Amino acid sequence: QSVLTQPPSVSAAPGQRVTISCSGNSSNIGSNYVSWYQLLPGAAPKLLIYDNNKRASGISDRISGSKSGTSATLGIAGLQTGDEADYYCGTRDSSLTASWVFGGGTKLTVL
Amino acid sequence: QVQLVESGGAVVEPGKSLRLSCAASGFTFSSYVIHWVRQAPGKGLEWVAVVSYDGNYKFYAESVKGRFTISRDNSKNTLSLQMDNLRLEDTALYFCAKDFTGTYSPTFDVWGRGTMVTVSP
């Protein structure tokens, strides 16, 4: 069971906007920056968002991130079929000397 | 081109050992903290271990502490993960990942494609 909680799946039609939530606690999201990653089968995971809301190099402005308290949200606007992938949130956890935690992942389906 | 390439994955029996490697290129390897992260089949990402830029400091997830050893050779731009006393639950795709800022940040900005470890009787 993952430390951070994400919905197992989300779906939307091409062109629409979807959001993926990530919930944690005061030791992880509440006190650290959140990052978001895209995983495609056979490919290296790709960093999308870091420091809660900053887009990584080369990432489309259709991608956005936000954080409030102990929760974070990834937004993808103008959905394209190429956006179908698994998305993970991640951060550090301050409850241990050195620990990094992730969500369980969300499968995005573009209908 | 910044790149990480993992190797060494295999099918092994429970209780056996295996050593994974990660070859880095395109950046100053010796300046960055590097991690191992794994993904069991059908499961989410799990952080495994991290090593400081100079190799002097190492931290592990509780699930692998005492069985896995992370190390690095900055002269060869290589990261390693020695896995001993393997268990069925260690079956996973193992990724190496580069710390974004170099100093234990919450972000991994470069990942490899992973190497598969299967622990099976």
Side-chain angles (χ1 to χ4, degrees), chain B residues 4-121:
Chain B
L4 296 170
V5 180
E6 304 91 340
S7 62
V11 179
V12 296
E13 296 177 340
K16 300 294 187 181
S17 298
L18 192 65
R19 188 176 185 88
L20 305 182
S21 295
C22 170
S25 59
F27 66 100
T28 306
F29 180 71
S30 59
S31 296
Y32 289 88
V33 163
I34 307 288
H35 300 256
W36 285 101
V37 177
R38 67 185 180 183
Q39 183 181 30
K43 302 294 185 181
L45 297 172
E46 179 189 17
W47 174 76
V48 173
V50 62
V51 61
S52 62
Y53 69 95
D54 59 2
N56 287 337
Y57 297 93
K58 306 169 185 182
F59 302 96
Y60 302 90
E62 288 297 320
S63 58
V64 306
K65 196 174 292 184
R67 300 187 299 120
F68 289 13
T69 303
I70 189 172
S71 62
R72 65 191 297 162
D73 185 339
N74 287 341
S75 69
K76 297 181 179 178
N77 289 352
T78 301
L79 175 77
S80 295
L81 185 68
Q82 176 66 37
M83 303 185 294
D84 298 322
N85 190 20
L86 281 160
R87 303 170 179 170
L88 297 176
E89 56 265 34
D90 295 320
T91 293
L93 184 61
Y94 284 74
F95 300 100
C96 56
K98 170 184 166 290
D99 186 285
F100 185 36
T101 64
T103 55
Y104 305 107
S105 79
T107 300
F108 311 127
D109 66 330
V110 180
W111 300 62
R113 293 191 175 191
T115 187
M116 187 68 199
V117 173
T118 302
V119 184
S120 177

Side-chain angles (χ1 to χ4, degrees), chain A residues 46-50 54-63:
Chain A
K46 178 190 290 187
L47 173 65
L48 302 175
I49 296 287
Y50 67 97
K54 296 177 178 152
R55 279 185 295 276
S57 177
I59 300 303
S60 167
D61 59 6
R62 297 186 300 109
I63 308 290

Side-chain angles (χ1 to χ4, degrees), chain A residues 17-43:
Chain A
R17 182 175 186 270
V18 70
T19 60
I20 298 173
S21 62
C22 175
S23 178
N25 60 36
S26 59
S27 296
N28 42 61
I29 293 180
S31 52
N32 291 284
Y33 288 118
V34 176
S35 304
W36 289 91
Y37 306 92
Q38 179 192 60
L39 270 70
L40 287 164

